[in-house]
């Protein structure tokens, strides 16, 4: 008998139990164990009905993703499903936690299903660049009809137990928390009532209803925008449509063909890398698992501006009271007003209830004095980027805050050690860099100073999980990981326009790669005056920062979307960037002033200069230990800067392209353009010499 799947009988119920932590994934051992246990149940004359249940925190959460890309060992998943569906004894599945992917496919290959009310079910394969490959695209529509099956499978979103009951995915919901007891009682009832086997493959009523409908083409059309650049969502629609056009076994064959196409697509590798990277970043090198974590039950925020307000919402959303301190009442009222408006917008969209709006607003209070920070566990400073002002604030916090409070800065570029030097407790100072809009963007770039204690590092990583962010811990340098690489890309994008490209040509190369928006459209969203102020601050500090045509735009009050004109112009009520001949003229004048004769620039050169300069910088960041692993950089870029997850992140993408190709181009641009940004990273050269990749680090 397998270790991970056992069989025993309770009364007239044969019980098949899976116990394979952490999430009972359908590894080869579990698949073989499921078949062996079923055979035992079939032979057990005392068993009138069979029950499938799982130990641990969840029902089967899918195929074992770690086995992907390796040769599939028999029995394969579809085979296991066939065995369960063809059982001649009623087969019941009892669901707790999550029944996902192959897990839900196993449950709907059974004849009856019960779930705890806290359970959720879903087919999230599309998030891994795949589609349900064990009958999900053929059996689910037989239960739910076309529309819901298309929604669930092309989005990968989970549905809760109550909705699953309404949809006919499960037959019963139990409000208790003991799935084994609920499962046994439900199975016994099936036996007592002499319920027959009921194979989903034979259900056709929901198929009839949607046969020949244009719902499939409608979905394909809606995916054009929502799933831009993605491969598998469209294959999902093809597979589900097959269920309405082909008999079950042929539909299964079609599903398998489409599944194989997705498995072979590079997007699968990118998305699975992103899946595991998102989980690996929480395991910080050199930080012991049992490092003590401080309790964070109250938070203070300095600044009620866009960032301060968004940050406050994250804590109120998880029930942690927040005090926001501002210098003036009017700024405070404005900030709190924007927070309430954001919540009310979410309520209008049905994402939260009006009661939740009030509950969360009740957790956010405003103040004009630092005295209200005396007892808070964590303070996050979110004022504009000025070192002198930040040091003044941290000196005041040092004087007011209790011992053990964590003092954090939301700075996006400035030196954490210098900010910490304004206090007598640098070990309690850390960077917590949120991304705008802070209540939406998933990334939290936590920045360790040279004196930040392990306890504080562990605590801010735990805070990230608590407020449902993806936390990445990085080292302290100008711009940390994300902005340091972004600034290199930005500078190259500027140079490319100086030399002859247009802003829209550069942006199109980046959006074609899969970014939601290009360099210049992004700067218009953030406001091009932000970069201008930083450049002016550096110029005032005596740094030689070259002139740029963007400065001329700012001086003409073209600040971006907020003034309806920046690098692009914008129409009332639209965020769509429209190329503006006025800007082309400003750029042409700037080139003349600088004595530059513009030249034709290819999209390939734009791609290489914008992306390879980032990857070269990423390699330097790894060299310096600012990031521990290449996957840390990938997660920063996927969750903070919109790098397409289906390419796995910039460093994973570089490995896919081949580091030798990247190095060759970097060396070429170093020869042609010069500049530190193109000086080949020693690590990049070393990896190429050793035939290794960033993934090997
Ligand atoms: N395979 C292997 N490992 C998995 C796994 C899986 N399916 N799911 C989770 N893990 C590991 C994860 O890496 C982590 O490991 C630990 O479990 C806890 O996960 C044919 C082809 C279930 C909702 O896409 O969404 O079925 O870091 O930190 O926040 O149609 O994990 O501790 O070493 O995420 O409580 C479809 C993926 C597969 C579900 C739990 N299934 N998993 O979330 O914990 S494709 C999925 C999740 C498929 C068939 C196809 C979540 C979760 P470690 P965690 P969590």
């Amino acid at each position: 008998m397998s270790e991970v799947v056992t069989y025993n009988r309770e009364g007239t119920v044969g019980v098949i139990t899976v116990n394979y932590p952490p999430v009972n994934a359908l590894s080869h051992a579990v698949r073989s164990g499921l078949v062996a246990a079923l055979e035992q149940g079939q032979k057990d004359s005392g068993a009138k009905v069979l029950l499938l249940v799982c130990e641990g925190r969840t029902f089967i959460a899918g195929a074992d993703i770690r086995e992907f890309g390796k040769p599939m060992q028999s029995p394969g998943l579809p085979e296991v499903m066939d065995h369960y569906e063809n059982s001649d004894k009623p087969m019941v599945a009892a669901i707790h936690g999550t029944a996902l992917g192959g897990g839900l496919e196993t449950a709907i290959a059974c004849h009856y299903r019960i779930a705890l009310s806290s359970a959720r079910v879903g087919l999230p394969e599309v998030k891994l660049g795949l589609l349900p490959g064990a009958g999900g695209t053929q059996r689910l529509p037989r239960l739910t009809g076309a529309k819901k099956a298309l929604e669930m499978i092309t989005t990968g979103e989970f549905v809760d137990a109550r909705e699953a009951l309404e949809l006919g995915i499960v037959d019963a919901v139990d409000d208790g928390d003991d799935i084994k007891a609920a499962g046994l009682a439900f199975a016994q009832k099936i036996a007592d009532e002499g319920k027959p086997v009921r194979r989903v493959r034979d259900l056709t009523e929901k198929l009839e209803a949607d046969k020949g409908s244009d719902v499939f083409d409608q979905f394909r059309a809606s995916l054009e925008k929502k799933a831009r650049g993605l491969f598998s969502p469209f294959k999902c629609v093809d597979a589900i449509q097959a269920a309405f056009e082909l008999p079950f076994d042929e539909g299964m064959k079609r599903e398998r063909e489409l599944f194989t196409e997705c498995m072979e697509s590079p997007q699968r590798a990118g998305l699975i890398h992103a899946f595991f990277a998102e989980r690996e970043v929480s395991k910080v090198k050199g930080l012991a698992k049992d490092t003590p974590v401080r309790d964070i039950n109250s938070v203070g925020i300095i600044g009620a501006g866009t960032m301060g307000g968004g940050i406050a919402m994250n804590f109120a959303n998880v029930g942690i009271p927040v005090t926001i301190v501002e210098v003036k009442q009017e700024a405070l009222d404005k900030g709190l007003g924007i927070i309430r408006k954001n919540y009310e917008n979410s309520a209008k969209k049905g994402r939260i209830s009006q009661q939740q709006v009030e509950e969360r607003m009740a957790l956010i209070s405003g103040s004009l004095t630092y005295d209200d920070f005396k007892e808070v566990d964590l303070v996050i400073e979110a004022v504009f980027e000025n070192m002198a002002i930040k040091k003044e604030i941290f000196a005041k916090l040092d004087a007011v805050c209790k011992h053990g409070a964590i003092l954090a800065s939301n700075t996006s570029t400035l030196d954490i050690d210098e900010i910490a030097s304004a206090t007598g407790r640098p070990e309690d100072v850390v960077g917590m860099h949120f991304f705008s809009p802070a209540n939406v963007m998933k990334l939290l770039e936590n920045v360790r100073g040279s004196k930040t204690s392990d306890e504080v590092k562990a605590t801010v990583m735990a805070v990230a999980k608590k407020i449902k962010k993806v936390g990445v811990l990085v080292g302290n340098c100008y711009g940390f990981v994300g902005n340091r690489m972004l600034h290199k890309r930005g500078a190259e994008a500027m140079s490319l326009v100086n030399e002859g490209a247009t802003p829209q040509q550069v942006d199109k190369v980046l959006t074609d790669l899969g970014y939601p928006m290009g360099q210049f459209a992004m700067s218009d969203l953030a406001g091009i005056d932000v970069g201008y102020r930083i450049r002016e601050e550096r110029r005032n500090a005596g740094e030689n920062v070259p002139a740029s045509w963007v400065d001329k735009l700012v001086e003409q009050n073209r600040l971006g979307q907020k003034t309806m004109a920046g690098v692009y112009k914008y129409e009332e009520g639209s965020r769509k960037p429209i190329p503006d001949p006025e800007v082309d003229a400003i750029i042409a004048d700037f080139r003349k002033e600088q004595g530059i004769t513009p030249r034709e620039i290819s999209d390939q050169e734009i791609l290489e200069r914008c992306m390879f300069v980032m990857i070269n910088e990423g390699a330097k960041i790894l060299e310096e230990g600012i990031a521990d692993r290449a996957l840390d950089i990938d997660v920063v870029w996927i969750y903070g800067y919109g790098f397409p997850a289906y390419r796995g992140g910039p460093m994973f993408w570089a490995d896919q392209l081949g580091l030798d190709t990247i190095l060759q181009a970097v060396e070429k641009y170093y020869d042609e353009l010069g500049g530190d940004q193109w000086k080949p990273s020693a690590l990049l050269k070393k990896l190429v010499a050793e035939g290794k990749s960033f993934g090997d680090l």
Side-chain angles (χ1 to χ4, degrees):
M1 172 47 57
S2 112
E3 297 309 305
V4 290
V5 185
T6 54
Y7 176 83
N8 71 308
R9 181 147 55 71
E10 306 216 9
T12 59
V13 180
V15 184
I16 297 170
T17 307
V18 181
N19 187 8
Y20 180 53
V23 293
N24 294 312
L26 290 157
S27 65
H28 177 240
V30 171
R31 296 194 307 273
S32 321
L34 282 170
V35 173
L38 179 66
E39 275 159 17
Q40 244 192 303
Q42 300 290 12
K43 291 194 197 106
D44 179 356
S45 56
K48 298 280 172 283
V49 59
L50 300 175
L51 172 69
L52 173 61
V53 68
C54 295
E55 295 283 355
R57 63 184 164 143
T58 180
F59 188 77
I60 299 166
D64 190 334
I65 304 172
R66 294 185 193 283
E67 291 185 352
F68 289 165
K70 300 179 188 129
M72 176 57 83
Q73 292 173 280
S74 174
L77 268 177
E79 208 182 321
V80 177
M81 305 300 137
D82 280 350
H83 282 296
Y84 273 68
E85 186 163 60
N86 296 330
S87 160
D88 52 18
K89 293 182 180 180
M91 189 66 243
V92 176
I95 299 169
H96 74 296
T98 51
L100 303 177
L104 180 56
E105 289 172 302
T106 306
I108 60 179
C110 296
H111 307 141
Y112 299 95
R113 287 155 292 281
I114 181 167
L116 292 184
S117 53
S118 56
R120 295 176 299 153
V121 303
L123 294 173
E125 286 84 346
V126 72
K127 294 183 178 175
L128 301 171
L130 295 167
L131 55 81
T137 67
Q138 305 305 302
R139 292 192 175 94
L140 187 71
R142 283 171 161 77
L143 293 170
T144 66
K147 189 163 176 304
K148 195 63 198 180
L150 284 161
E151 271 169 25
M152 285 181 67
I153 294 175
T154 59
T155 64
E157 295 311 319
F158 305 170
V159 296
D160 65 30
R162 294 260 164 243
E163 189 182 354
L165 181 65
E166 280 155 31
L167 290 168
I169 298 174
V170 300
D171 304 292
V173 170
D174 184 285
D175 290 325
D177 56 11
D178 180 343
I179 189 57
K180 178 91 180 284
L184 278 170
F186 185 63
Q188 195 57 57
K189 188 161 162 288
I190 300 271
D192 298 346
E193 294 171 3
K195 282 255 170 77
V197 299
R198 182 188 65 173
R199 298 189 172 99
V200 174
R201 62 174 290 153
D202 301 332
L203 304 177
T204 56
E205 186 205 328
K206 293 276 173 76
L207 297 182
E208 297 312 323
D210 291 312
K211 228 181 206 110
S213 106
D214 62 357
V215 66
F216 304 104
D217 291 340
Q218 282 169 14
F219 245 85
R220 284 189 187 91
S222 72
L223 287 173
E224 288 304 334
K225 194 153 179 289
K226 277 190 290 185
R228 188 176 67 84
L230 288 169
F231 180 75
S232 71
F234 298 91
K235 301 297 170 187
C236 289
V237 179
D238 297 348
I240 298 164
Q241 186 165 15
F244 292 78
E245 294 172 353
L246 301 170
F248 182 80
D249 292 325
E250 283 167 53
M252 284 297 287
K253 240 193 260 102
R254 183 78 186 113
E255 177 193 272
R256 181 54 34 177
E257 287 161 6
L258 292 160
F259 178 80
T260 307
E261 284 180 43
C262 292
M263 194 56 108
E264 285 154 7
S265 139
Q267 296 196 359
R268 184 267 300 171
L271 286 162
I272 288 181
H273 169 76
F275 174 87
F276 284 119
E278 182 189 335
R279 284 151 183 81
E280 282 306 300
V281 287
S282 61
K283 302 163 193 161
V284 175
K285 253 189 194 167
L287 201 59
K289 260 206 177 142
D290 58 359
T291 303
V293 166
R294 296 181 193 167
D295 293 336
I296 302 296
N297 300 319
S298 59
V299 172
I301 293 178
I302 301 161
T306 315
M307 291 308 291
I311 295 169
M313 292 172 75
N314 290 306
F315 291 95
N317 293 354
V318 294
I320 297 175
V322 184
T323 304
I324 304 181
V325 164
E326 254 295 353
V327 276
K328 290 205 186 75
Q329 188 62 42
E330 143 222 349
L332 196 53
D333 297 343
K334 183 166 174 244
L336 293 172
I338 291 171
I339 295 173
R340 173 172 282 282
K341 200 162 122 285
N342 286 338
Y343 276 135
E344 272 159 5
N345 283 345
S346 299
K348 275 202 209 96
K349 295 183 187 132
R351 292 202 196 113
I352 59 174
S353 66
Q354 191 54 38
Q355 186 196 342
Q356 286 172 309
V357 172
E358 299 314 326
E359 285 164 2
R360 292 173 189 192
M361 284 310 295
L363 286 168
I364 301 175
S365 52
S367 163
L368 298 176
T369 169
Y370 279 48
D371 291 349
D372 288 333
F373 287 158
K374 280 205 179 80
E375 291 312 318
V376 297
D377 300 318
L378 164 66
V379 181
I380 304 174
E381 160 274 313
V383 304
F384 67 88
E385 294 286 73
N386 178 294
M387 183 55 86
I389 291 175
K390 290 186 190 283
K391 289 175 83 171
E392 197 191 310
I393 288 170
F394 275 73
K396 276 203 263 180
L397 290 175
D398 191 25
V400 168
C401 294
K402 68 179 180 182
H403 174 72
I406 294 178
L407 311 181
S409 171
N410 177 54
T411 178
S412 59
T413 54
L414 299 178
D415 184 343
I416 298 297
D417 287 335
E418 189 176 347
I419 292 173
S421 69
T423 75
R425 47 175 132 176
E427 68 281 4
D428 292 328
V429 176
V430 68
M432 293 180 80
H433 178 205
F434 289 80
F435 289 74
S436 180
N439 56 312
V440 178
M441 293 297 283
K442 279 194 78 177
L443 182 68
L444 175 51
E445 191 179 33
N446 286 325
V447 185
R448 58 175 189 269
S450 56
K451 297 200 176 86
T452 305
S453 71
D454 282 359
E455 208 173 283
V456 169
K457 293 176 200 167
T459 304
V460 290
M461 291 303 281
V463 167
K465 211 165 202 160
K466 173 89 180 166
I467 62 175
K468 303 190 175 35
K469 299 290 185 193
V470 178
V472 181
L473 188 70
V474 302
N476 180 34
C477 65
Y478 186 82
F480 318 130
V481 167
N483 281 344
R484 177 172 163 180
M485 293 166 72
L486 179 68
H487 289 171
K488 299 297 179 204
R489 186 186 85 178
E492 270 319 296
M494 290 291 290
S495 305
L496 284 156
V497 173
N498 294 352
E499 295 163 34
T502 63
Q504 52 272 32
Q505 184 192 6
V506 172
D507 280 3
K508 184 167 180 321
V509 168
L510 294 174
T511 51
D512 287 354
L513 184 68
Y515 282 102
M517 63 173 55
Q519 179 72 33
F520 295 105
M522 190 176 75
S523 53
D524 269 358
L525 176 67
I528 52 180
D529 52 325
V530 179
Y532 177 78
R533 266 207 306 277
I534 292 173
R535 284 193 295 280
E536 286 297 284
E537 188 144 311
R538 288 166 61 195
R539 286 179 186 130
N540 299 342
E543 227 186 290
N544 168 21
V545 180
S548 99
W549 51 270
V550 173
D551 295 345
K552 299 197 180 308
L553 300 183
V554 176
E555 284 141 17
Q556 293 183 16
N557 200 37
R558 296 181 65 110
L559 308 184
Q561 284 191 13
K562 59 189 167 191
T563 55
M564 308 294 282
V567 177
Y568 298 98
K569 62 182 176 188
Y570 300 83
E571 274 157 6
E572 196 59 48
S574 158
R575 290 174 177 275
K576 188 168 178 307
I578 305 163
D580 188 339
E582 276 183 35
V583 174
D584 298 339
I586 290 167
I587 293 170
D589 291 348
F590 175 79
R591 288 178 185 144
K592 255 199 222 91
E593 266 170 37
Q594 303 290 316
I596 300 169
T597 311
R599 62 182 176 87
E600 260 321 291
I601 297 184
S602 70
D603 287 356
Q604 181 58 25
E605 178 177 349
I606 291 172
L607 179 75
E608 291 180 0
R609 286 177 58 179
C610 285
M611 292 307 301
F612 295 1
V613 76
M614 277 178 48
I615 293 160
N616 192 39
E617 197 64 25
K620 291 173 182 172
I621 284 170
L622 288 169
E623 266 169 48
E624 296 162 24
I626 298 293
D628 288 336
R629 301 153 293 191
L631 63 85
D632 293 298
I633 298 176
D634 288 333
V635 170
V636 163
W637 271 82
I638 290 171
Y639 289 105
Y641 298 84
F643 188 90
Y646 64 80
R647 295 187 191 281
M651 308 311 275
F652 183 84
W653 179 67
D655 281 349
Q656 305 293 85
L657 282 181
L659 297 189
D660 51 349
T661 306
I662 307 252
L663 180 57
Q664 244 169 34
V666 168
E667 285 170 340
K668 180 184 86 177
Y669 290 123
Y670 190 43
D671 293 345
E672 290 172 5
L673 306 167
D676 274 353
Q677 76 275 22
W678 286 116
K679 186 168 185 313
S681 138
L683 174 65
L684 183 56
K685 288 202 277 191
K686 181 169 176 295
L687 289 171
V688 171
E690 296 168 1
K692 289 192 177 146
S693 68
F694 290 126
D696 298 324
L697 291 171

